[in-house]
Amino acid sequence: MHLSEIRSLFLSFFEGKGHKILPSSSLIPHNDPSLIFTNSGMVQFKDIFLGNEQPQHNRVTTSQKCVRAGGKHNDLENVGYTARHHTFFEMLGNFSFGDYFKEEAIGFAWEFLTKVLKINRDKLYVTVYYKDETAFTIWKKIAGLSDNRIIKIDTNDNFWSMGPTGPCGPCSEIFFDHGEQYEGGLPGSGNDGDRYVEIWNLVFMENEQFEDGTMSLLPKPSIDTGIGLERLTAVMQGVNDNFHIDIFHKLISASQELSGNRDNLTAHKVIADHLRAMSFLIADGVLPSNEGRGYVLRRIMRRAMRYVQNLGYKKPFLYGLVPTLIEIMGSTYRELYAAESIIRSVIYNEEARFGATLERGLKIMQDEIPNVRNNILPGEVAFKLYDTYGFPLDLTKDILRPQGIEIDEAAFNSSMAEQRARAKAAWVGSGEKSQEKIWFDIADKVGSTEFFGYSTSKMSGKVLGIVSNGQLVESLNGGESGIVILNQTPFYGESGGQVGDSGQFIRGNEVICTVTNTTIYPGKVFGHHVTCDKSISIGDIIEAVVDSARRNKIRCNHSATHLLHKALRKHFGDSVVQKGSLVNDSKLRFDFSYNSQLDQNQVRLIEREVNGMIRENKEVTAKIMPYDSAVKEGAMALFGEKYSDEVRVIFMCDSIELCGGTHVNATGDIGLFKIISESAISSGVRRIEAVTAEAAFEHYNSRCDIIHWIATTIKCSDDQIIDKVTSLLNDKKSLAKKLSDMEISHLAKGFEVRNGIAIQEKDNLDINTMRSAVMASKINDTVILFASRSANSLSLVISVPKGYKYTAKSLCDTICNKFGGKGGGSIDLVQIGGIAPSIKISEIFSVI
């Protein structure tokens, strides 16, 4: 049975059950900005489930095209190496919006699988949420399944929610057994593999979850189901690997024929899968770019192009497979026919462009490989390949995989975070073109905002523009929020790691707006994010007043980062370079390059150095200088940061840095500096978090309070705390040892002989205690079996005497093969865990 036949049968079946067949929605979700792509069948119905939209039909069915290659659902790196990962796939689904519920949904599913598709019922298993006795009972009633084929699962695998709040409910999954020739245990066993494969998920949306964690029943429970068409086709075509089904067979054959290479099956799998994803995305209007959805598309395309290179094919290749894809899927998805020319041209242009890029990038990679240590490529190198040559991280991984080389992803992410922070300093927006256009229009209309915040914290300003919900408006009323643009401002806009200012807009003696944040938009337009108490309109003259108390805390923390940077370089060398920072009113965070953890003495050394510079109370000065002159004078510039011809330079003690942030007038204004944490954030990058001024004083006070409480509680003086706590811990350790010895001694005497085997059963014992009890028992010349059962598993410890017909290790293998679980040990003593708790000890006896 072909994939297209299965799709048609599914839709026709549910149409016969009163469902309206609806077309697949676009891969670009129009009702959910949190998703980068449509990744499931329910996405187009989200507003219905949330109650924001009334359904035109209470029962619908769809075959939804889906992409999972970015954000939370990202299967890109697995494609080609597993049997079921895809970037593009089709999800069949049937939905009920307050119409039928569990019994009908289960009945429909069972009928379609066993009567329409005629799948052997003995090959099907189902899971239900462990509290959902209703679904358990319905499955027994409708399918006649035995209890051991309706598996209760107590994890979120069988409880679905749309988010932290909103509609949610238990679900029931249907699994197909591909046969004992494949590895893997039943769902819930923890023994993953390819034998039991989920093919259908039935979500029973019956609850609403609230912010406080409570739930209530929905007035109209609904049904949302999803069945992977490729997985179901694999079942119907008698194969375990999705890439062996008819649609992939045709694409892979076309790829093999065009390339002349029939050996590298992994490459052909990647090409076939990625061809589908890129073609459907382009058909839905996504074009390759360096950001957002376009960047994910480019990642998919470039990964496919790399595998074309692996086939030894050097010319544009993928675009030549588009006609085959359209021949296979165009009759169902007519948008492929309509967009064929643009799909082919976009792919061809991207392939031609990538050829030279790949060659240059591969040369850099090969030059770096001899320098690789411990088979790990530095993250900075991977980031350079990404930033300069457009190599996505997963592409670099794929290239290095055959050589057994991994990537320092933490360092890569650190470099990526630095780049994002720099981008954020220049532009903070939604990424939507319409939103961006507003700010460019504003910049063209009113020009850049003049910033006077270095010299003042309040000044009058004229309202030149107001944005509300992404639209230019004339005014905001009391109770409304928006973004206000002034001709001039004392408010610092978020940039360079320093947060934006907050404060108030005042008219006369009245506060008309509370400013919660300040952001710099394109064209150096300062956007004041406000919540209004009174109305404000374009043309109004207001007084802009910065929250000076908060500004002063930010200034103290920012100036302290400069002193901290200087102290680190003084004591640990010029290889210390700033890798990132965050400065707000509560603390400072400073990331820097260094290969070792700072010990307590080193932390104290840096604190003393910084506090020494604070006590010097040197004046802090700022100068505007040509960039080249500033660098010649010794100013520190952040690596990779882009600077204009003229720069602002901050002089503070012996520290000279390029910086646009706000600072104290003299170092003594900082008052006090205290490091509260030092940690690693990636290979070769450390992070220091610290507090200053009043926050540092409060930090010391809180620690003194803790010391006083401890001393009072354990009844000693402050200077006796260490000796007293050490003594208490030693006493606790000694008592714990005695109690453990007593427990083990007691358990060692608790074995009784049954059928020639010494056995003992307990609940919720840890494996180490069980093993110690077996070893301490005085029973000789017989097998000893200690079993402990918890809610999730059955654990065993088995001791075998010399001369017994089986070794303990062979018994372990036999038990694990028959009952699941994992174990190991020696020839006379083994321990086993992870056996299903439903297994009875009498069953274990049968193999001993």
Side-chain angles (χ1 to χ4, degrees):
M1 187 178 292
H2 298 304
L3 177 144
S4 57
E5 295 177 78
I6 297 169
R7 184 198 299 117
S8 178
L9 280 172
F10 179 90
L11 296 175
S12 297
F13 172 81
F14 280 100
E15 184 180 43
K17 300 294 184 181
H19 293 65
K20 174 68 174 179
I21 300 176
L22 296 182
S24 170
S25 66
S26 169
L27 286 170
I28 313 305
H30 297 298
N31 61 344
D32 190 348
S34 68
L35 291 177
I36 190 165
F37 297 123
T38 299
N39 58 23
S40 67
M42 63 79 57
V43 170
Q44 67 169 303
F45 307 116
K46 184 174 180 178
D47 286 338
I48 296 176
F49 287 126
L50 288 172
N52 300 328
E53 178 183 340
Q54 291 300 312
Q56 294 183 353
H57 310 279
N58 290 332
R59 299 184 179 195
V60 302
T61 184
T62 63
S63 178
Q64 175 66 50
K65 53 188 181 184
C66 302
V67 165
R68 291 186 179 179
K72 178 181 175 182
H73 297 288
N74 185 3
D75 294 335
L76 185 59
E77 293 176 28
N78 295 315
V79 175
Y81 293 91
T82 68
R84 275 166 288 282
H85 278 111
H86 302 292
T87 52
F88 175 94
F89 63 97
E90 293 183 74
M91 184 176 286
L92 305 174
N94 58 288
F95 305 86
S96 164
F97 308 122
D99 188 0
Y100 62 82
F101 199 47
K102 293 183 184 179
E103 184 155 357
E104 293 89 339
I106 291 173
F108 292 157
W110 190 251
E111 181 182 352
F112 179 72
L113 292 176
T114 60
K115 293 185 178 178
V116 177
L117 297 185
K118 302 187 185 304
I119 295 175
N120 184 349
R121 53 178 290 134
D122 294 333
K123 289 282 190 178
L124 298 174
Y125 292 76
V126 299
T127 63
V128 296
Y129 189 55
Y130 74 111
K131 293 182 179 180
D132 193 355
E133 292 295 334
T134 301
F136 186 92
T137 302
I138 292 172
W139 273 113
K140 291 193 69 173
K141 170 187 171 184
I142 289 177
L145 296 174
S146 58
D147 287 3
N148 66 340
R149 289 175 61 198
I150 309 175
I151 303 165
K152 295 182 177 180
I153 303 290
D154 62 353
T155 67
N156 286 340
D157 285 349
N158 276 69
F159 194 91
W160 182 90
S161 59
M162 190 173 291
T165 61
C168 58
C171 54
S172 180
E173 296 173 329
I174 305 173
F175 288 76
F176 179 81
D177 179 5
H178 278 273
E180 60 186 7
Q181 67 271 33
Y182 299 102
E183 295 184 357
L186 285 167
S189 68
N191 183 16
D192 295 332
D194 289 331
R195 177 171 178 176
Y196 299 94
V197 174
E198 176 198 345
I199 55 173
W200 205 338
N201 187 15
L202 315 177
V203 178
F204 310 127
M205 221 176 289
E206 60 185 8
N207 305 106
E208 182 173 6
Q209 183 164 300
F210 302 98
E211 289 184 351
D212 61 2
T214 60
M215 290 187 188
S216 67
L217 292 174
L218 289 172
K220 291 185 177 181
S222 298
I223 291 294
D224 158 27
T225 86
I227 181 168
L229 178 56
E230 291 82 357
R231 292 188 178 197
L232 183 60
T233 303
V235 170
M236 296 306 297
Q237 294 181 3
V239 294
N240 182 259
D241 188 329
N242 287 4
F243 288 94
H244 293 164
I245 65 176
D246 60 322
I247 185 171
F248 280 113
H249 176 73
K250 292 178 181 178
L251 289 172
I252 289 171
S253 295
S255 178
Q256 290 172 327
E257 182 175 348
L258 184 60
S259 67
N261 184 323
R262 298 185 175 275
D263 298 325
N264 192 338
L265 185 57
T266 296
H268 292 297
K269 287 181 177 181
V270 171
I271 289 167
D273 174 272
H274 290 8
L275 178 72
R276 296 207 303 169
M278 67 180 77
S279 298
F280 275 92
L281 285 171
I282 294 169
D284 276 356
V286 182
L287 296 176
S289 68
N290 289 326
E291 58 186 12
R293 296 184 177 100
Y295 176 62
V296 178
L297 171 59
R298 178 163 281 165
R299 287 172 61 202
I300 295 170
M301 298 176 79
R302 292 193 167 181
R303 186 169 188 259
M305 292 168 196
R306 169 59 188 163
Y307 279 90
V308 171
Q309 296 276 331
N310 287 351
L311 296 175
Y313 202 94
K314 303 301 182 183
K315 296 182 294 184
F317 174 86
L318 296 167
Y319 83 104
L321 295 176
V322 173
T324 302
L325 174 67
I326 294 177
E327 179 187 343
I328 296 169
M329 302 190 72
S331 59
T332 301
Y333 297 102
R334 303 296 298 178
E335 63 266 32
L336 292 177
Y337 278 117
E340 180 176 3
S341 61
I342 190 171
I343 293 171
R344 284 170 58 87
S345 64
V346 167
I347 294 176
Y348 179 90
N349 291 336
E350 194 72 1
E351 286 187 283
R353 177 182 177 185
F354 186 60
T357 298
L358 180 64
E359 186 174 339
R360 292 194 299 268
L362 286 175
K363 184 178 185 305
I364 288 178
M365 193 179 299
Q366 294 306 317
D367 289 344
E368 290 289 342
I369 287 176
N371 301 321
V372 165
R373 297 291 180 268
N374 300 318
N375 287 327
I376 297 178
L377 182 77
E380 294 80 4
V381 175
F383 182 76
K384 179 181 178 182
L385 288 166
Y386 157 78
D387 195 36
T388 306
Y389 297 98
F391 276 47
L393 182 63
D394 37 66
L395 175 61
T396 306
K397 284 182 179 179
D398 272 331
I399 295 171
L400 295 174
R401 190 196 305 248
Q403 301 175 65
I405 297 175
E406 298 179 347
I407 296 171
D408 184 347
E409 290 191 47
F412 176 89
N413 291 332
S414 176
S415 297
M416 180 73 79
E418 290 175 40
Q419 186 196 61
R420 286 172 178 164
R422 293 192 295 270
K424 187 177 182 182
W427 162 241
V428 179
S430 68
E432 297 291 337
K433 289 185 178 179
S434 59
Q435 182 83 342
E436 290 180 9
K437 188 175 185 300
I438 288 175
W439 294 106
F440 286 111
D441 290 345
I442 291 173
D444 290 341
K445 181 179 179 181
V446 306
S448 301
T449 307
E450 290 188 87
F451 174 63
F452 292 90
Y454 295 135
S455 57
T456 185
S457 61
K458 65 178 180 179
M459 67 187 306
S460 63
K462 182 178 181 180
V463 179
L464 300 181
I466 301 174
V467 175
S468 177
N469 297 319
Q471 300 293 323
L472 279 168
V473 296
E474 289 294 316
S475 62
L476 293 172
N477 296 318
E480 294 181 336
S481 297
I483 304 173
V484 174
I485 299 95
L486 306 176
N487 65 322
Q488 56 187 22
T489 183
F491 284 78
Y492 180 83
E494 180 181 352
S495 61
Q498 178 178 326
V499 297
D501 278 332
S502 59
Q504 297 174 331
F505 286 169
I506 297 174
R507 185 170 54 212
N509 294 319
E510 286 186 317
V511 175
I512 59 171
C513 295
T514 298
V515 180
T516 58
N517 190 23
T518 309
T519 302
I520 303 176
Y521 290 95
K524 293 186 179 180
V525 174
F526 282 57
H528 304 80
H529 299 250
V530 302
T531 300
C532 294
D533 297 321
K534 307 288 184 179
S535 65
I536 186 171
S537 302
I538 291 177
D540 285 356
I541 305 297
I542 56 91
E543 186 173 26
V545 182
V546 173
D547 182 342
S548 294
R550 180 173 179 268
R551 159 82 75 84
N552 286 335
K553 293 176 182 178
I554 296 169
R555 293 198 303 177
C556 288
N557 287 335
H558 196 162
S559 296
T561 63
H562 287 229
L563 299 182
L564 172 60
H565 193 186
K566 182 65 179 179
L568 289 167
R569 288 174 64 84
K570 175 180 177 180
H571 290 286
F572 302 132
D574 290 345
S575 62
V576 171
V577 177
Q578 179 177 343
K579 306 295 284 185
S581 69
L582 171 67
V583 178
N584 58 30
D585 56 319
S586 61
K587 67 179 181 180
L588 66 92
R589 190 180 74 202
F590 188 80
D591 301 337
F592 59 100
S593 57
Y594 196 61
N595 288 321
S596 303
Q597 178 181 359
L598 273 59
D599 61 32
Q600 195 69 3
N601 290 332
Q602 291 172 315
V603 169
R604 294 293 173 260
L605 175 67
I606 297 302
E607 284 182 339
R608 284 194 296 271
E609 184 73 27
V610 173
N611 281 306
M613 288 186 280
I614 290 172
R615 288 193 299 273
E616 290 180 21
N617 197 28
K618 292 286 185 69
E619 182 183 10
V620 177
T621 60
K623 294 181 181 178
I624 304 298
M625 304 171 62
Y627 175 79
D628 292 339
S629 299
V631 172
K632 286 179 182 178
E633 195 159 341
M636 289 287 297
L638 294 183
F639 177 76
E641 187 69 87
K642 294 181 178 179
Y643 296 97
S644 57
D645 294 337
E646 283 196 329
V647 293
R648 183 169 182 259
V649 185
I650 300 297
F651 296 83
M652 190 184 310
C653 293
D654 292 329
S655 167
I656 309 174
E657 293 195 28
L658 306 184
C659 181
T662 57
H663 289 277
V664 296
N665 295 319
T667 59
D669 296 345
I670 300 171
L672 185 63
F673 172 84
K674 174 63 182 172
I675 294 174
I676 57 176
S677 72
E678 190 277 340
S679 61
I681 60 170
S682 66
S683 176
V685 180
R686 310 295 301 177
R687 169 172 291 172
I688 283 177
E689 294 188 347
V691 288
T692 64
E694 188 69 19
F697 181 72
E698 291 299 329
H699 180 83
Y700 278 112
N701 274 346
S702 68
R703 295 309 181 266
C704 289
D705 290 343
I706 291 171
I707 291 172
H708 179 71
W709 181 87
I710 294 172
T712 302
T713 303
I714 63 178
K715 297 180 173 58
C716 68
S717 62
D718 291 0
D719 58 1
Q720 293 174 326
I721 286 176
I722 293 177
D723 290 340
K724 189 67 179 287
V725 170
T726 301
S727 176
L728 290 171
L729 290 174
N730 287 337
D731 290 345
K732 180 178 178 292
K733 185 177 179 180
S734 177
L735 288 171
K737 178 68 166 59
K738 289 178 181 178
L739 284 172
S740 177
D741 291 344
M742 291 173 62
E743 181 184 19
I744 290 169
S745 177
H746 175 73
L747 291 171
K749 298 174 183 177
F751 290 95
E752 58 176 306
V753 178
R754 301 183 202 164
N755 300 326
I757 297 175
I759 187 168
Q760 184 172 180
E761 294 183 63
K762 295 289 184 182
D763 290 333
N764 300 312
L765 276 184
D766 69 272
I767 201 83
N768 291 328
T769 300
M770 296 163 61
R771 185 178 64 249
S772 296
V774 170
M775 295 173 68
S777 68
K778 304 299 183 181
I779 301 172
N780 297 316
D781 301 326
T782 189
V783 175
I784 303 174
L785 172 63
F786 202 148
S788 177
R789 198 181 306 274
S790 68
N792 298 320
S793 69
L794 173 67
S795 299
L796 306 174
V797 174
I798 303 173
S799 174
V800 172
K802 291 183 179 179
Y804 191 66
K805 58 184 178 178
Y806 305 123
T807 65
K809 195 170 186 316
S810 65
L811 282 177
C812 173
D813 293 341
T814 301
I815 291 171
C816 290
N817 288 335
K818 185 168 183 178
F819 302 107
K822 295 181 179 179
S826 62
I827 60 172
D828 55 2
L829 182 71
V830 293
Q831 59 190 49
I832 305 170
I835 299 174
S838 58
I839 300 299
K840 299 177 180 178
I841 298 302
S842 59
E843 296 179 73
I844 303 295
F845 271 127
S846 67
V847 300
I848 297 179

